[in-house]
Amino acid sequence: MQQPRWRQLPSSSHTVALASLVAFGTQVVFALLMLRLFTPQEVGEFSLLSQIGFFWMTLALAQAPLSLLANAHAPANDALRSAWRSSLQRGLWLLPLAAAAVWLSGLNAGSALLWVLLLAVCQMAWVLAQSFTLRVGTRWQQATVRVVPPLTAALTALGGAWMAWSGPTLVWSAVLGYAVGAAWLAPAWQATPDAHAQHLPHMPINPAPVHTQSDPRSARLRFAHTLSDALLATCLVVVWQRLYGAQDTGWLTALLRVLGFVPALVHMAWAQVVLAQGHAPQHLHPRRTAGLLGLVAAACVVGLGWVCTLALEWHWLDTRWTGIWIYIVPVAGWQVGACLLAAFSHRPFQTHAAVRYSWACIALTCVQAVVLWGPVLASSTPDAAQHIVTFASVSGLGLLALTVWVARLR
């Protein structure tokens, strides 16, 4: 009897998917705690700080975690140490850019910049640790590196709200969670190659020829791709804060935190695992499996949007969150497109199309930026509902077009 399709996925996919689901659920709880226990203004300020930190961290990494997986033929320890050093160097050069973003946000420059740096450095280490353990770690390590950090952050936020801590409780919680995740980088400096060899039976490395998969993009192109993505995400928060205030920013960013977890889950549990192993399992039809996973993830996004709607209908949320209504449908449609692209995001690295893929993503980001900044450049303030519908529609259709192109690559 043939096994169900989900049982035919790589065993590491099962581990990472289950761990990511637990981490996803924990982060959903964290997002719901923000809605329930903190004011929209507190959520908006935390989202602004975390987004600037994410922007700084993402630029500093310049897609190093993805290259660490795509270049599976390179020794993991050496590749990890090299990625960490180069990321820190880029981070130092980019420090003035992070400071400028903090200044433009209107927050207290000194304390806000310190929080941003703590968030960025700890999160950078955690992101690298996830790719590193996917290459050489046991399944237990692959699971715990994903589950423990968000659980730590959620418990810290809950404890802080219950004990009525003064100060930025949400920021403290996030920094602590990322710092715990960074601990999984320690084996890269402590263990010898022989010590890592004992993990290979648990996580087989690419048995396929090296030329079948690689990341041939130059450092400049990887940085440009990363810059475009991070700049757009940061500008979204900054523009919303500027045009509509902290409350609307809190509504939008909280919803993005909930719905945006799904495409991230697909990328971690499917695309990254296939890249780490160097090839898709031979018993699977890669494009058909990726398409099915993308559709299931899209259905999950729709379901989560419906849950958010019910939470408002049943008055589970405070009345101050009723304004989130206008964001549910457009953001859900946008994230549906993100799910479909995430399911096929490994294909460019297996079809020698990584360079073209990066340029296509950069072009889409430029179109999104024009739609986002249009009202600011025109010195007008449109209705927030109209603005998000336009932006999300352009984003979703662009991601769908990219998905169709990537899926047809051979």
Side-chain angles (χ1 to χ4, degrees):
M1 181 180 297
Q2 187 177 10
Q3 291 182 326
R5 186 172 293 275
W6 70 270
R7 293 292 299 274
Q8 299 176 8
L9 295 175
S11 58
S12 295
S13 279
H14 300 156
T15 301
V16 175
L18 180 59
S20 299
L21 280 173
V22 175
F24 165 69
T26 304
Q27 293 181 66
V28 169
V29 171
F30 184 78
L32 294 177
L33 283 175
M34 290 195 302
L35 301 182
R36 186 74 174 177
L37 302 177
F38 300 92
T39 66
Q41 287 75 16
E42 290 175 312
V43 174
E45 181 175 331
F46 165 70
S47 298
L48 185 59
L49 289 173
S50 60
Q51 185 57 56
I52 295 175
F54 177 79
F55 167 71
W56 186 87
M57 178 273 302
T58 305
L59 287 182
L61 285 176
Q63 298 193 355
L66 187 59
S67 295
L68 183 62
L69 294 174
N71 296 322
H73 56 281
N77 280 29
D78 295 339
L80 186 279
R81 290 193 290 264
S82 176
W84 176 249
R85 287 192 296 267
S86 60
S87 297
L88 285 180
Q89 291 173 357
R90 279 190 295 266
L92 289 176
W93 283 106
L94 292 166
L95 186 56
L97 189 60
V102 170
W103 178 76
L104 289 172
S105 69
L107 299 174
N108 183 285
S111 60
L113 183 59
L114 177 60
W115 287 122
V116 165
L117 294 180
L118 286 173
L119 286 166
V121 172
C122 294
Q123 189 176 9
M124 180 170 64
W126 181 43
V127 172
L128 284 172
Q130 293 180 64
S131 293
F132 178 68
T133 55
L134 194 57
R135 281 281 304 272
V136 301
T138 64
R139 293 177 186 173
W140 172 252
Q141 291 170 329
Q142 295 166 15
T144 53
V145 73
R146 287 165 172 78
V147 173
V148 175
L151 181 61
T152 301
L155 292 176
T156 305
L158 179 61
W162 179 63
M163 299 176 65
W165 288 349
S166 60
T169 302
L170 289 173
V171 181
W172 266 119
S173 303
V175 168
L176 181 59
Y178 293 144
V180 169
W184 272 263
L185 284 182
W189 279 268
Q190 296 175 354
T192 63
D194 292 338
H196 279 298
Q198 64 184 340
H199 296 317
L200 296 180
H202 301 281
M203 182 61 189
I205 303 302
N206 182 12
V210 171
H211 68 271
T212 62
Q213 173 183 298
S214 65
D215 184 1
R217 297 172 299 169
S218 65
R220 290 183 179 180
L221 179 56
R222 288 191 291 111
F223 182 81
H225 188 169
T226 305
L227 176 62
S228 63
D229 288 342
L231 195 58
L232 179 68
T234 303
C235 286
L236 177 62
V237 180
V238 172
V239 167
W240 235 255
Q241 171 81 14
R242 182 184 180 92
L243 292 180
Y244 310 113
Q247 185 166 259
D248 270 78
T249 303
W251 294 334
L252 175 60
T253 54
L255 190 61
L256 281 172
R257 279 181 172 273
V258 174
L259 301 185
F261 292 146
V262 183
L265 174 63
V266 175
H267 190 263
M268 289 186 295
W270 166 247
Q272 288 189 7
V273 169
V274 173
L275 287 176
Q277 293 186 337
H279 63 97
Q282 296 181 357
H283 59 273
L284 290 179
H285 189 290
R287 285 188 291 182
R288 185 180 304 167
T289 303
L292 178 61
L293 289 173
L295 291 175
V296 171
C300 291
V301 167
V302 175
L304 282 173
W306 180 67
V307 169
C308 293
T309 303
L310 290 181
L312 291 171
E313 286 281 358
W314 295 344
H315 305 289
W316 186 86
L317 297 176
D318 189 275
T319 55
R320 291 173 294 184
W321 289 95
T322 54
I324 206 172
W325 272 110
I326 62 174
Y327 296 102
I328 294 178
V329 173
V331 171
W334 173 16
Q335 296 307 305
V336 163
C339 288
L340 296 175
L341 183 59
F344 290 93
S345 59
H346 61 288
R347 295 282 297 158
F349 301 96
Q350 297 178 331
T351 55
H352 310 287
V355 174
R356 287 181 291 156
Y357 174 69
S358 283
W359 282 116
C361 291
I362 292 172
L364 174 59
T365 303
C366 291
V367 175
Q368 293 174 282
V370 170
V371 176
L372 178 63
W373 281 99
V376 178
L377 298 177
S379 300
S380 63
T381 306
D383 181 68
Q386 179 185 358
H387 197 176
I388 191 60
V389 166
T390 304
F391 177 77
S393 298
V394 170
S395 302
L397 291 174
L399 292 170
L400 182 60
L402 273 179
T403 303
V404 173
W405 170 65
V406 171
R408 294 172 61 87
L409 291 173
R410 293 183 180 276

